[in-house]
Amino acid sequence: ALPLTPNGKLDRNALPAPADEAYALAAYEAPQGAVEIALARIWAELLGVERISRHDHFFELGGHSLLAVQVSSRLSQAVGIELPLSTLFARPVLTDLAASIVELLSRSGPQQLPSIAAVSRHEPLVLSFAQQRLWFLAQLNVGSTNYHIPLALRLRGVLDGRAWQRSLDRLFARHEALRSVFVATQGKPRVEVLPPDAGLPVLEHDLRHRADAEAALLDLCQEEARTPFDLARGPLIRGHLVRMSNDEHVFLLTQHHIVSDGWSMGVLLRELSQLYRAFEAGQDDPLPALAIQYPDYAAWQRQWLSGERLQKQAQYWRSALAGTTRLVLPTDRARPAQQSFAAATVPIVIDADLTGKLKRLSLQHGTTLFMTVLTAWAAVLSRLSGQDDLVIGVPSANRGQREIEELIGFFVNTLALRLDLSGEPSVSELLERTRRTVLAAQEHQDLPFEQVVEIVQPPRALDHTPLLQVMLAWENNGVGSLDLPGLNIEAASEEI
């Protein structure tokens, strides 16, 4: 929080020196200047921009909704205030946003926001709300592989096998989520954590001398995809290292969704790269210790999302989704009586020219590229269905606290966005409606989707999911790729 003197003025002597020397120390003479410096630091870190001007525009610099959530999270630590996302969207220029923050501070003062603390490992560990949902679904569909997260990489070059296994074992030891198993007593699940020295299980296969190596690899991949996890025994992550030739390997990694998500894949690949580089060079583990673990977050979530905060979020979703109807799209065959989850993909490429136009349209209307594409998707669905009241599901990273950004674990949530296309709105009006809907949903994103369903109580049926039948997954979580010395690495999933 901003350091203040007893008479309520900014304590200049208690402020750290600015990271950017372009900011004069005189900026500290007023809260506005101090907040601008705090904002500039946060923007520079999140946007990857070296220098930030007072007159820079967050979205013109590459900001989007997910980064806006992270800005809000960091501001809560820096100046002690929970900034509504709508404020950042309404005043995206740094100096204007700083003025809004100072105004909020003058009205309410800095607030002590709750932090996530480590809990005792001598007491039973609870599941997060998301984990509880997947555990329950697993009991209904024993042996299901619907919630596997696969990764297939082709590594060309000289692989240091010992450094590779050591890196995987260190990741396994580092993140308690990956070592979590889920046991039940009288139908009530709890988390147990496998010992850190258990090691990440990796089976090795040598196909170098087989003429049908690629076919054998395909069989191995299909067998891996069909093999379920045992949630009570674990581990819930496993690997296969397949040697295709002296200088080519294929690495298969499978995780259960109950211990990981899309954002986690980015953390995993980034840390695996750092660990392998260090171990291959004969160095020690370069990663800083984690202050908290996923079980700490799960305990915090259940305590934090309660009382008045829970009621406020529940009331928002009860009101926002009251009276929704099922999306009915024209199909060439009848919907099966029970969902089969059989699927296919149809790739559609939006080229650079059209993407540029969409970005310019977004800036003109104060929306993100995601909001603009969501609006277009809603318009298409409305035209196909003849309905003007639509609910579209959107995965949310749900990483609003700074402490959990570097954790592997199951944090992702689903937001049910209700879009109003009634009254033949113009493009401008429809974009504004979408913008309001998205921002309001993101400001109430903490309530797990399964609890939203229980609150709204839509009609249930086995042939469709409750509340929503279509989703838009905007994958901007920066999964990235491995960067390993002496190796050329490519995704192998499309080949096999």
Side-chain angles (χ1 to χ4, degrees), residues 410-427:
F410 182 24
F411 295 93
V412 68
N413 193 18
T414 298
L415 303 182
L417 305 183
R418 186 177 192 175
L419 301 173
D420 175 15
L421 293 94
S422 63
E424 299 184 357
S426 64
V427 170

Side-chain angles (χ1 to χ4, degrees), residues 20-257:
D20 189 339
E21 295 301 331
Y23 284 98
L25 192 60
Y28 285 143
E29 295 292 351
Q32 169 86 16
V35 172
E36 286 181 9
I37 291 173
L39 270 177
R41 289 174 176 164
I42 293 168
W43 287 18
E45 177 192 355
L46 294 176
L47 297 170
V49 179
E50 194 170 322
R51 298 175 72 86
I52 301 289
S53 161
R54 299 177 68 241
H55 304 290
D56 277 338
H57 189 292
F58 180 71
F59 297 105
E60 289 179 358
L61 291 175
H64 50 69
S65 300
L66 178 57
L67 287 176
V69 172
Q70 292 179 271
V71 167
S72 179
S73 169
R74 282 161 170 73
L75 273 173
S76 70
Q77 293 182 324
V79 299
I81 192 167
E82 287 191 84
L83 179 71
L85 292 183
S86 55
T87 302
L88 195 156
F89 276 80
R91 308 192 74 178
V93 174
L94 187 141
T95 187
D96 296 336
L97 181 60
S100 295
I101 293 169
V102 170
E103 183 181 348
L104 287 171
L105 282 168
S106 67
R107 290 204 305 264
S108 61
Q111 302 168 1
Q112 189 66 37
L113 302 178
S115 60
I116 303 174
V119 298
S120 171
R121 295 303 188 267
H122 300 296
E123 301 292 334
L125 298 175
V126 299
L127 287 68
S128 69
F129 292 121
Q131 286 181 326
Q132 184 172 312
R133 178 180 82 239
L134 278 200
W135 181 86
F136 177 75
L137 292 175
Q139 309 317 300
L140 294 178
N141 193 3
V142 176
S144 170
T145 60
N146 291 335
Y147 291 98
H148 285 192
I149 302 177
L151 176 70
L153 299 172
R154 197 174 288 267
L155 292 71
R156 293 185 173 92
V158 179
L159 177 68
D160 184 333
R162 292 185 63 183
W164 182 254
Q165 184 63 56
R166 186 182 173 195
S167 300
L168 293 169
D169 289 344
R170 179 62 197 129
L171 267 176
F172 189 71
R174 176 175 171 80
H175 293 278
E176 286 188 1
L178 297 180
R179 295 188 279 118
S180 295
V181 295
F182 302 84
V183 298
T185 303
Q186 297 180 339
K188 184 176 181 180
R190 70 179 187 278
V191 174
E192 291 185 356
V193 180
L194 299 175
D197 59 356
L200 194 156
V202 178
L203 294 178
E204 296 190 12
H205 311 264
D206 192 343
L207 303 181
R208 283 180 294 176
H209 305 298
R210 292 187 55 166
D212 63 341
E214 290 295 335
L217 174 63
L218 179 59
D219 290 342
L220 180 63
C221 292
Q222 292 174 344
E223 180 183 355
E224 168 62 16
R226 292 192 298 265
T227 304
F229 285 102
D230 184 338
L231 296 189
R233 294 184 61 187
L236 302 182
I237 179 172
R238 61 180 181 239
H240 293 264
L241 185 62
V242 187
R243 191 162 192 173
M244 306 298 292
S245 68
N246 289 338
D247 60 356
E248 182 178 337
H249 294 76
V250 171
F251 180 61
L252 309 177
L253 187 71
T254 308
Q255 303 172 82
H256 196 288
H257 203 351

Side-chain angles (χ1 to χ4, degrees), residues 310-325:
L310 174 62
Q311 292 304 316
K312 182 179 178 182
Q313 295 232 359
Q315 182 54 44
Y316 167 79
W317 289 109
R318 185 180 293 111
S319 174
L321 299 175
T324 58
T325 56

Side-chain angles (χ1 to χ4, degrees), residues 413-449:
N413 193 18
T414 298
L415 303 182
L417 305 183
R418 186 177 192 175
L419 301 173
D420 175 15
L421 293 94
S422 63
E424 299 184 357
S426 64
V427 170
S428 179
E429 171 60 24
L430 191 53
L431 285 169
E432 175 58 25
R433 292 182 189 179
T434 301
R435 178 176 174 270
R436 290 197 301 265
T437 297
V438 170
L439 291 178
Q442 287 182 322
E443 289 178 355
H444 298 85
Q445 66 175 292
D446 301 300
L447 195 67
F449 177 71

